[in-house]
Amino acid sequence: MNQGWLPPTEYYATLPALIGSGGVLCRDAHGRVLLVETSYQTDDVYETLVVR
C-alpha cells in the first residue's frame, strides 16, 4: 500500500513540535566524573556510520 510522498508542508506538519534530548553529568564529592559505557549498541554501529 504505497500512498506516495507528502508535500513538504504536510510532511513538516506530521513531525513533532519539539525535538529534545537529555544528559547527566554525575560527579562525586572529590570532583570525579562517572563514565558509563552503553551496552545497547555494538561497535558495528559506529563502523557502519564511518563507512557511509
Side-chain angles (χ1 to χ4, degrees), residues 29-40:
H30 300 287
R32 296 178 295 192
V33 176
L34 174 66
L35 297 178
V36 179
E37 183 177 341
T38 58
S39 60
Y40 56 87

